[in-house]
């Protein structure tokens, strides 16, 4: 994963922000070390030494092979090995420039293949480093000199992200004997669309859809980049990028560079690739003998023209001969357990939280179990994986484990035991048997070779487990006796992407792509004979056997999503397979997958042969690098950008330096900002230290302001006077951000306390606004706040949360007296409810604010009616109702400039009641006559219409539109532009 372009926009928007963003850190007590190689600095936590040494050698050995075809030797870079998480991921970013590898191997075989996880990250993520440094030429080098890493954002923004990820997937495939390019599941959605005649436009293929399954930029990019390499030579993309970075960075510079190099524009290259893929997969289907199967009927959400919205039913588990439990998810549904039967009835059983999806579900008629992420409240880089159990008879849900690292789980047929795959923070894997009632560890199976186990399942005897075992790029199906701690392999070890074993009698079913299509196979435990059980047009996964033993269920992929199917369980109908494994995709007629990619490209791709030698486990390891302690504070300053930044309003220009250390604990910003509206400037310095449990913030600003006031306050206002004055502002505080998510609701809380000192000099106007310090000299104030949010997880088609609550409370005071005194407290809350339609949302909002009478007034902490200027009162009560809904999910292209995906609308009614005590004095003597209570009421209503769209063929969508407001108090109409989301 590559992270960079839209952070350029983020930097611009936050240039003037007072609070720097909360980053993800590891626990403060974790000690870090560093290995330095000629081209890498590998940072790793205490106890991760051997894995860090291996990774450092892998990276250094891949330096030349992984960069060869782009003809760029990147600058040295820091790579962080994160071992506190169970989330399998990795990324490269420029802010600051680094790469992070999350050292938790995935259970998903369609991501991992037969590679070691850190090897896969090394060969994939490092390619992004090469791509980024490729932009360091011509105007990119000039911008880097002027702006630092932010300067590379502009040239990189001209290159579509499908190229970045497609080229990286190509790299992992050509430089290894695995990689996603050899995994049929990787392009499954694209294959289904093309075979069904759903040839999307290039704009839709890049931007996506709210109705159809549009493959992501990884799946789109790999075939396009590979087709170009096959057709125009392995180094074609190096030449394209060189041309692109020599061009003025106009929106279609990349397409023009592709045309200059290949003779076709990007749109045409996409079309030619799709034509080639369609031909490849159509020929594959011609020789296919399909095994018949009956599909469980489902009732999915319908889009326009009654086309089903993409929805999947996966991981079936028979509960009775006619009922299966499975996981439903899709564009309109977050993951949930549902019951299906053959009569077409569907029953929601439980909505899951945030699953760490291993690509399997385990259930008996009494119990279902799965894995969900568990988040550390404070440390964003510490993520656990916990077991959830559901009693299918009573509906009782149990979080069986806390702060565990279990990444796959299966329940025994008698419901008494669980077998789990545990990944440790030392990059080791072990199978563990747990008590299903208490979660207590009963036995840890020995694993001296640190083989990686995938998808364990119990056999009928409640003591034997079958699982996939991966070691040195080869897999097998393994049978393990959990009592005697004995094992035996059922298949010869091979580079075959096996998954999902399931025992039945004398057989073990499993998934394999050996035919070029993922299908279900079976191995006879006694004879080791292998049979092909299913032959489906697109794919068949996750075998499950009915209680009677008469039916075999599986999930069957279709163009509208995964569906649950079953077929008679008849071993006599299975096709025997020649003993020994086939290479992945062996019978594929394609030129992108399997052995054909080796013949077409791997022998020609620069660096491919050397990369394969490096990734072979037999490659010798050089002498160990010398570790050194890496201390956070000693490396706190790490500048990554400098120079001018234009603020989001266009009224402010900032010149400064931004710094963030590699462990994301210290952020520093210093510089000078110029306000074009007032024609004045200010120096600023900001520091946020996030390495401890609370976050400590400190900022200082010194500058000038330019104020203009009508000093007579009577009509005609003809006595406008201006004054230029100076200020010093110091802000210091502490905040505690907490992530409390434990279910389908995302929960967070933030508590903070800040001290603010504002000193003013040179203010010469005869009076001041009550919201300004002015001639009173200085203001000292404390602000205390509490924010809490609990919002239901949204599907892509939801316009807003359908259930949830938020609450914010603020208290401000001037505790030290002086000429300025004030006190304010306020609270506001939002409550979300489902609307009339599935993806509609109703929000009710209320707020109350009170300010003590004094010589100064704080800015508001509650919302005010939209379209109404804020009026400060002693007490403000506000309320609002808002209804939001999608109007249409569309695919409209306006040439190459704009692609519109969605039209949304909202209607609102806002109200505020202000109440103040006003002193009435004598005009002659100034004596207090009486105190009156004055009330003010404001009401507005309106309609929002917004469009979700993509500009200039960029994948990240924007949302903008217009707002029409009718002020019921003043009886005025207002029309305003509306910018909701600018893409990050």
């Amino acid at each position: 994963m590559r992270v960079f372009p839209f952070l350029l926009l983020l930097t611009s928007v936050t240039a003037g922000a007072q609070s720097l963003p909360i980053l993800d850190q590891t626990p403060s007590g974790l000690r870090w070390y560093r290995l330095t190689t000629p081209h890498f600095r590998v940072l790793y936590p205490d106890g991760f030494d051997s894995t860090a040494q291996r990774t450092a050698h892998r990276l250094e050995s891949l330096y030349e092979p992984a960069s060869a075809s782009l003809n760029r030797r990147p600058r040295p870079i820091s790579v962080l090995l994160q071992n506190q998480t169970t989330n399998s991921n990795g990324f490269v970013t420029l802010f600051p420039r680094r790469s992070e590898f999350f050292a938790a191997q995935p259970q998903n075989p369609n991501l991992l293949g037969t590679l070691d996880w850190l090897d896969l990250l090394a060969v994939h993520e490092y390619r992004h480093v090469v791509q980024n440094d490729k932009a360091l030429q011509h105007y990119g080098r000039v911008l880097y000199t002027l702006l630092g890493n932010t300067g590379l954002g502009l040239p990189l923004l001209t290159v579509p992200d499908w190229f970045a990820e497609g080229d990286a997937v190509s790299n992992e495939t050509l430089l290894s004997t695995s990689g996603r390019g050899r995994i049929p599941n990787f392009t499954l959605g694209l294959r289904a669309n093309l075979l069904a005649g759903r040839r999307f436009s290039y704009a839709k293929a890049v931007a996506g859809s709210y109705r159809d399954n549009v493959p992501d930029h990884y799946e789109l990019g790999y075939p396009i980049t590979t087709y170009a390499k096959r057709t125009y030579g392995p180094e074609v993309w190096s030449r394209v990028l060189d041309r692109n970075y020599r061009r003025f960075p106009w929106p279609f510079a990349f397409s023009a560079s592709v045309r200059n190099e290949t003779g076709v524009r990007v749109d045409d290259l996409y079309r030619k690739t799709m034509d080639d893929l369609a031909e490849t997969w159509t020929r594959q289907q011609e020789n296919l003998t399909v095994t018949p199967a009956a599909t469980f009927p489902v009732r999915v959400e319908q889009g326009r023209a009654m086309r089903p919205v993409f929805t999947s039913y996966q991981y079936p588990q028979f509960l009775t001969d006619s009922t299966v439990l499975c996981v439903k998810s899709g564009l309109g549904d977050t993951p949930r357990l549902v019951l299906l039967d053959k009569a077409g009835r569907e029953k929601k059983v439980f909505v899951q939280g945030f699953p760490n999806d291993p690509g399997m579900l385990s259930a008996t008629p009494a119990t279902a179990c799965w894995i969900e992420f568990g988040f550390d409240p404070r440390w964003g880089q510490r993520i656990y994986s916990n077991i959830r159990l559901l009693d299918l008879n009573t509906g009782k849900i149990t979080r069986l484990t806390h702060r565990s690292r279990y990444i796959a789980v299966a329940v025994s047929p008698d419901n008494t035991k669980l077998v789990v795959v545990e990944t440790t923070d030392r990059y080791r894997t072990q199978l563990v048997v747990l008590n299903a009632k208490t979660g207590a560890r009963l036995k840890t199976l020995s694993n001296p070779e640190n083989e990686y186990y995938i998808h364990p399942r119990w056999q009928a005897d409640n003591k034997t487990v079958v699982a996939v075992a991966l070691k040195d790029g080869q897999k097998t199906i393994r049978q393990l006796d959990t009592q005697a701690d004995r094992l035996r392999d059922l298949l010869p070890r091979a580079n075959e992407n096996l998954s999902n074993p399931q025992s039945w009698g004398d057989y073990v079913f499993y998934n394999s792509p050996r035919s070029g299509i993922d299908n279900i196979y079976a191995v006879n435990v006694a004879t080791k004979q292998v049979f092909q059980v299913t032959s489906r047009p697109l794919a068949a996964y996750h075998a499950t056997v009915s209680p009677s033993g008469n039916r075999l269920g599986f999930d069957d992929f279709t163009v509208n999503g995964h569906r649950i199917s079953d077929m008679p369980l008849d071993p006599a109908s299975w096709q025997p397979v020649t003993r020994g494994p086939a290479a992945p995709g062996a019978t594929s007629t394609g030129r992108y997958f399997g052995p054909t990619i080796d013949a077409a490209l791997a022998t020609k791709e620069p660096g491919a042969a050397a990369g394969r030698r490096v990734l072979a486990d037999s490659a010798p390891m050089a002498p160990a690098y010398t570790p050194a302690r890496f201390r956070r504070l000693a490396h706190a300053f790490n500048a990554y950008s400098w120079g001018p930044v234009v603020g989001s309003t266009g009224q402010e220009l900032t010149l400064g330096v931004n710094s963030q250390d590699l462990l994301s604990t210290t952020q520093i910003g210093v510089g000078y900002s110029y306000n074009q509206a007032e024609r004045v400037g200010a120096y600023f310095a900001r520091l946020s230290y996030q390495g401890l449990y609370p976050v400590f913030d400190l900022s200082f600003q010194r500058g000038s302001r330019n104020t203009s006031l009508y000093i007579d306050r009577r009509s005609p206002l003809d006595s406008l006077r201006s004054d230029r004055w100076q200020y010093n502002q110091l802000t210091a505080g502490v905040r505690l951000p907490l992530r409390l998510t434990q279910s389908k609701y995302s929960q967070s809380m933030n508590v903070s306390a800040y001290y603010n000192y504002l000193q003013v000099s040179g203010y010469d106007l005869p009076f001041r606004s009550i919201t300004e310090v002015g001639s009173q000299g200085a203001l000292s104030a404390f602000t205390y706040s509490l924010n809490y949010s609990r919002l239901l997880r949204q599907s892509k088609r939801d316009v807003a949360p359908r259930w949830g609550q938020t609450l914010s409370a603020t208290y401000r005071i001037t505790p030290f007296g002086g000429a300025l005194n004030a006190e304010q407290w306020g609270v506001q809350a939002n409550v979300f409810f489902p609307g009339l339609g599935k993806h509609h949302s109703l929000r009710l909002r209320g707020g109350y604010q009170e300010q003590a009478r004094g010589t100064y007034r704080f800015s508001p902490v509650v919302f005010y009616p939209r379209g109404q200027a804020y009026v400060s009162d002693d007490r403000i009560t506000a309320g609002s109702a808002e209804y939001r809904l999608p109007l249409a999910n569309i695919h409209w292209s306006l040439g190459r400039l704009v692609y519109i995906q969605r039209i949304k609308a909202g209607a609102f009614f806002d109200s505020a009641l202000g109440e103040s005590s006003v002193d009435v004095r004598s005009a002659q003597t100034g004596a207090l006559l009486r105190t009156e209570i004055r009330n003010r009421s404001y009401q507005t209503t309106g309609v929002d219409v917004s469009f979700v769209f993509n500009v200039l063929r960029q994948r990240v969508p924007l949302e903008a539109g217009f707002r029409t407001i009718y002020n019921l108090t003043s009886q005025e109409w207002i029309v305003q532009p509306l910018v909701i989301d600018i893409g990050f």
Side-chain angles (χ1 to χ4, degrees):
M1 181 174 67
R2 185 176 64 162
V3 180
F4 58 82
F6 286 91
L7 290 179
L8 175 64
L9 298 177
L10 181 62
T11 303
S12 301
V13 172
T14 60
Q18 293 300 311
S19 294
L20 293 166
I22 297 295
L23 306 174
D24 290 337
Q25 298 93 34
T26 54
S28 57
L30 195 63
R31 298 208 283 182
W32 285 79
Y33 295 85
R34 178 179 60 191
L35 300 175
T36 302
T37 80
H39 300 101
F40 298 91
R41 296 176 295 271
V42 177
L43 277 61
Y44 63 96
D46 189 21
F48 215 60
D49 306 73
S50 60
T51 303
Q53 288 282 353
R54 183 182 183 277
T55 304
H57 282 285
R58 279 286 196 258
L59 286 166
E60 189 61 40
S61 300
L62 286 168
Y63 177 78
E64 293 285 354
S67 58
S69 62
L70 285 185
N71 294 304
R72 172 62 58 172
R73 294 168 59 89
R75 299 162 291 161
I77 189 171
S78 296
V79 177
L80 282 70
L81 302 181
Q82 300 285 3
N83 74 336
Q84 298 294 297
T85 181
T86 58
N87 181 23
S88 303
N89 207 344
F91 66 85
V92 172
T93 179
L94 295 174
F95 306 98
R97 183 173 179 264
R98 71 192 191 279
S99 180
E100 296 194 16
F101 295 179
F102 296 1
Q105 298 195 71
Q107 285 283 293
N108 182 0
N110 302 313
L111 171 60
L112 183 63
T114 58
L115 279 171
D116 174 83
W117 174 240
L118 290 178
D119 285 352
L120 174 60
L121 290 179
V123 73
H124 180 98
E125 300 300 338
Y126 182 61
R127 184 65 166 194
H128 291 320
V129 177
V130 181
Q131 294 164 356
N132 289 354
D133 268 25
K134 185 73 170 176
L136 201 61
Q137 56 176 297
H138 300 282
Y139 75 89
R141 182 171 292 279
V142 174
L143 289 176
Y144 174 77
T145 302
L146 296 175
L147 303 174
N149 287 336
T150 301
L152 284 180
L154 181 60
L156 288 171
L157 197 60
T158 66
V159 178
D161 57 3
W162 62 252
F163 165 76
E165 295 301 350
D167 177 64
V169 171
S170 176
N171 209 55
E172 79 186 45
T173 303
L174 292 171
L175 270 66
S176 75
T177 55
S178 184
R180 278 168 282 185
R182 292 187 177 83
I183 299 176
N185 178 272
F186 176 62
T187 52
L188 182 57
L190 188 58
R191 177 155 46 103
N193 288 337
L194 291 178
L195 290 176
R198 294 188 183 178
R199 183 76 65 90
F200 301 143
S201 68
Y202 176 68
K204 182 176 177 179
V206 169
S209 169
Y210 285 87
R211 297 198 318 246
D212 300 319
N213 179 34
V214 177
D216 64 18
H217 49 305
Y218 291 78
E219 189 175 346
L220 172 66
Y222 173 71
I224 296 178
T225 57
T226 303
Y227 175 86
K229 285 183 177 183
R230 271 187 28 243
T231 307
Y232 308 106
E235 295 181 326
V236 62
W237 291 113
S238 178
R239 300 191 297 271
V240 167
L241 293 177
D242 286 338
R243 288 180 180 272
N244 180 70
Y245 295 136
R246 285 195 294 265
R247 270 191 162 85
F248 181 81
W250 65 296
F252 305 109
F254 183 80
S255 182
S257 300
V258 170
R259 183 182 58 200
N260 292 153
E261 192 61 44
T262 66
V264 296
R265 296 186 312 165
V266 163
D267 307 56
D268 300 320
L269 182 63
Y270 164 74
R271 179 181 53 79
K272 286 177 175 291
T273 303
M274 296 303 106
D275 289 343
D276 197 56
L277 287 171
E279 178 192 353
T280 295
W281 285 323
T282 299
R283 281 192 286 136
Q284 183 186 54
Q285 294 287 303
E286 291 172 353
N287 301 319
L288 198 64
T289 301
V290 176
T291 52
T295 300
F296 281 65
V298 294
R299 298 176 181 175
V300 301
E301 184 179 357
Q302 301 293 314
R304 296 182 67 186
M306 299 305 290
R307 176 186 286 186
V309 173
F310 186 81
T311 307
S312 284
Y313 297 80
Q314 295 176 273
Y315 320 142
Q317 295 283 274
F318 270 111
L319 302 185
T320 70
D321 279 1
S322 60
T323 306
V324 294
L325 180 74
C326 61
V327 176
K328 178 182 180 181
S329 62
L331 294 176
D333 298 278
T334 60
R336 62 201 59 213
L337 299 180
V338 297
L339 280 174
L340 297 180
D341 66 22
K342 294 189 174 181
R345 290 183 290 265
E346 178 178 322
K347 178 184 177 182
K348 182 177 70 176
V349 177
F350 183 77
V351 178
Q352 297 174 306
F354 292 83
N356 185 358
D357 183 12
M360 64 174 284
L361 174 70
S362 176
T364 68
T367 304
C369 59
W370 66 94
I371 302 291
E372 287 189 8
F373 285 120
F375 303 97
D376 186 281
R378 172 63 181 89
W379 308 115
Q381 286 284 17
R382 185 157 66 184
I383 300 176
Y384 303 101
S385 287
N386 298 316
I387 299 171
R388 302 297 297 267
L389 287 180
L390 177 65
D391 189 315
L392 294 172
N393 296 318
T394 66
K396 180 183 177 181
I397 184 73
T398 303
R399 186 179 295 108
L400 189 66
T401 63
H402 300 264
R403 295 176 172 263
S404 61
R405 297 176 60 95
Y406 302 140
I407 55 176
V409 61
V411 61
S412 62
D414 62 3
N415 301 298
T416 63
K417 292 179 291 187
L418 304 173
V419 61
V420 298
V421 178
E422 181 181 41
T423 179
T424 74
D425 59 5
R426 299 294 186 265
Y427 201 61
R428 297 193 65 84
T429 304
Q430 49 201 25
L431 286 176
V432 183
V433 179
L434 306 179
N435 184 300
K437 302 299 181 185
T438 66
R441 298 169 75 101
L442 301 178
K443 189 163 189 176
T444 300
L445 303 186
S446 59
N447 186 15
E449 298 297 321
N450 194 30
E451 296 188 73
Y452 186 59
Y453 285 107
I454 301 171
H455 297 160
R457 294 276 187 181
W458 291 94
Q459 293 192 268
D461 62 3
N462 296 295
K463 71 172 186 177
T464 308
V465 168
V466 290
V468 173
L470 168 63
K471 179 69 174 176
D472 297 339
Q474 296 183 317
K475 284 183 173 181
T476 185
I477 303 294
R478 178 165 294 168
Q479 200 175 49
L480 302 102
D481 186 326
T482 62
Q483 293 181 359
D485 204 0
R486 291 195 301 265
L487 56 86
R488 69 176 183 130
D489 293 343
L490 303 181
L491 294 173
R493 300 176 62 85
N495 178 25
E496 185 176 355
N497 195 26
L498 311 176
S499 61
N500 290 293
Q502 175 68 60
S503 294
W504 174 68
D506 295 330
Y507 299 93
V508 173
F509 297 107
Y510 62 92
N511 269 107
S512 171
R514 62 181 296 143
S515 70
I517 296 175
D518 286 310
N519 269 297
I520 296 171
Y521 292 77
V523 56
N524 186 298
V525 175
T527 67
K528 306 292 183 70
Q529 174 65 53
V530 174
F531 301 88
Q532 182 172 349
V533 179
T534 66
S535 176
R536 300 297 295 164
L538 296 172
Y541 301 100
H542 311 110
T544 181
V545 179
S546 64
S548 66
N550 295 325
R551 307 289 293 181
L552 177 71
F554 54 92
D555 74 58
D556 191 21
F557 194 77
T558 74
V559 71
N560 295 316
H562 292 264
R563 296 292 184 264
I564 307 303
S565 299
D566 71 348
M567 57 187 285
L569 188 49
D570 178 17
S573 65
W574 302 346
Q575 297 300 311
V577 174
T578 304
R579 183 179 292 273
T587 64
S588 171
T589 59
R591 295 179 288 276
Y592 302 82
F593 324 96
T596 52
I597 195 174
D598 299 317
L601 276 179
T603 56
K604 302 175 184 177
E605 174 87 359
R612 294 190 184 197
R613 287 195 298 270
V614 168
L615 293 175
D617 282 334
S618 58
M621 183 169 288
Y625 296 108
T626 303
R629 183 73 190 279
F630 186 86
R631 301 183 186 276
R632 300 169 191 251
L633 291 180
H635 299 86
F637 186 76
N638 178 38
Y640 63 84
S641 71
W642 47 85
V645 176
V646 178
S648 59
T649 64
Q651 295 295 311
E652 186 174 81
L653 178 66
T654 298
L655 182 68
V657 176
N658 292 313
S659 167
Q660 178 184 313
D661 73 313
L662 293 172
L663 296 180
S664 302
T665 58
T666 305
Q667 297 178 78
I668 301 172
V670 295
Y672 177 83
S673 63
Y674 180 77
N675 187 314
Q676 299 181 62
E678 296 188 8
R679 299 182 182 276
V680 292
Y683 296 95
F684 66 87
R686 290 187 285 270
L687 168 69
S688 179
Y689 183 72
Q690 303 179 8
L692 301 175
Y693 208 78
V695 173
F696 293 92
D697 297 320
L698 178 67
S699 68
F700 178 76
Q701 197 164 4
R702 177 183 177 84
S704 301
R705 291 287 308 279
N706 201 342
T707 300
S708 298
L709 292 175
Y710 290 98
I711 63 171
D712 59 3
R713 303 188 184 185
R714 290 190 299 271
S715 180
L717 298 175
D718 56 1
S719 55
L720 181 67
R721 283 181 54 183
S722 298
D723 185 37
R724 184 186 179 104
W725 46 276
Q726 294 75 44
Y727 70 93
N728 294 304
Q729 184 172 12
L730 174 69
T731 303
V734 61
R735 48 185 163 153
L736 182 59
L738 300 174
R739 184 173 186 178
L740 307 174
T741 300
Q742 298 291 339
S743 65
K744 61 185 177 182
Y745 289 91
S746 295
Q747 295 187 72
S748 63
M749 184 170 67
N750 186 82
V751 183
S752 65
Y754 282 88
Y755 169 72
N756 184 68
Y757 177 77
L758 178 61
Q759 184 266 330
V760 170
S761 61
Y763 188 93
D764 297 326
L765 295 175
F767 67 89
R768 65 176 178 86
S769 167
I770 198 171
T771 60
E772 295 280 0
V773 173
S775 58
Q776 298 304 309
L779 171 75
S780 291
F782 279 98
T783 300
Y784 307 93
S785 65
L786 166 70
N787 294 280
Y788 173 77
S789 173
R790 179 179 180 269
L791 300 174
L792 181 66
R793 182 180 180 184
Q794 293 178 230
S795 72
K796 180 173 180 176
R797 288 170 64 90
D798 292 335
V799 296
R802 302 183 70 244
W803 289 104
Q805 308 83 35
T806 69
L807 174 69
S808 65
T810 303
Y811 178 64
R812 294 168 170 167
I813 191 171
T814 55
F816 304 127
L820 298 178
N821 59 84
E823 184 177 6
Q824 177 199 63
W825 67 272
V827 61
Q828 66 179 20
N830 292 277
V831 182
F832 294 89
F833 299 97
L836 299 176
K838 181 176 180 180
H839 303 294
H840 299 194
S841 176
L842 171 66
R843 181 182 70 172
L844 302 180
R845 182 166 58 170
Y848 180 80
Q849 173 184 294
E850 188 168 317
Q851 297 215 53
R853 299 182 67 191
T855 56
Y856 181 82
R857 288 215 163 180
F858 294 107
S859 58
V861 296
V862 296
F863 66 93
Y864 217 64
R866 281 162 274 197
Q868 173 64 51
Y870 174 70
V871 179
S872 180
D873 281 300
D874 294 348
R875 289 164 292 280
I876 298 175
T877 303
S880 174
E882 181 180 72
Y883 191 92
R884 298 184 64 191
L885 73 159
L887 291 182
N889 298 306
I890 53 182
H891 308 112
W892 293 349
S893 289
L894 304 179
R896 303 170 71 189
L897 300 179
V898 178
Y899 169 76
I900 303 175
Q901 298 191 55
R902 197 175 215 194
I903 306 174
K904 297 160 61 175
F908 63 87
F909 173 80
D910 296 343
S911 176
L913 175 64
E915 180 183 291
S916 291
S917 300
V918 180
D919 293 339
V920 180
R921 297 181 180 273
S922 170
Q924 290 76 27
T925 65
L928 179 63
L929 300 178
R930 64 186 180 278
T931 299
E932 295 181 350
I933 301 298
R934 293 185 181 176
N935 293 314
R936 281 185 279 253
S937 178
Y938 302 99
Q939 294 178 338
T940 65
T941 187
V943 173
D944 295 343
V945 176
S946 63
F947 299 85
V948 179
F949 60 97
N950 303 72
V951 297
L952 305 176
R953 304 290 174 83
Q954 294 290 327
R955 182 176 59 89
V956 178
L958 317 178
E959 185 174 351
F962 61 88
R963 171 174 289 161
T964 301
I965 304 172
Y966 180 65
N967 192 316
L968 297 169
T969 304
S970 64
Q971 298 184 343
E972 295 177 327
W973 283 98
I974 305 171
V975 178
Q976 298 176 338
L978 190 63
V979 178
I980 298 175
D981 188 353
I982 60 174
F984 54 81

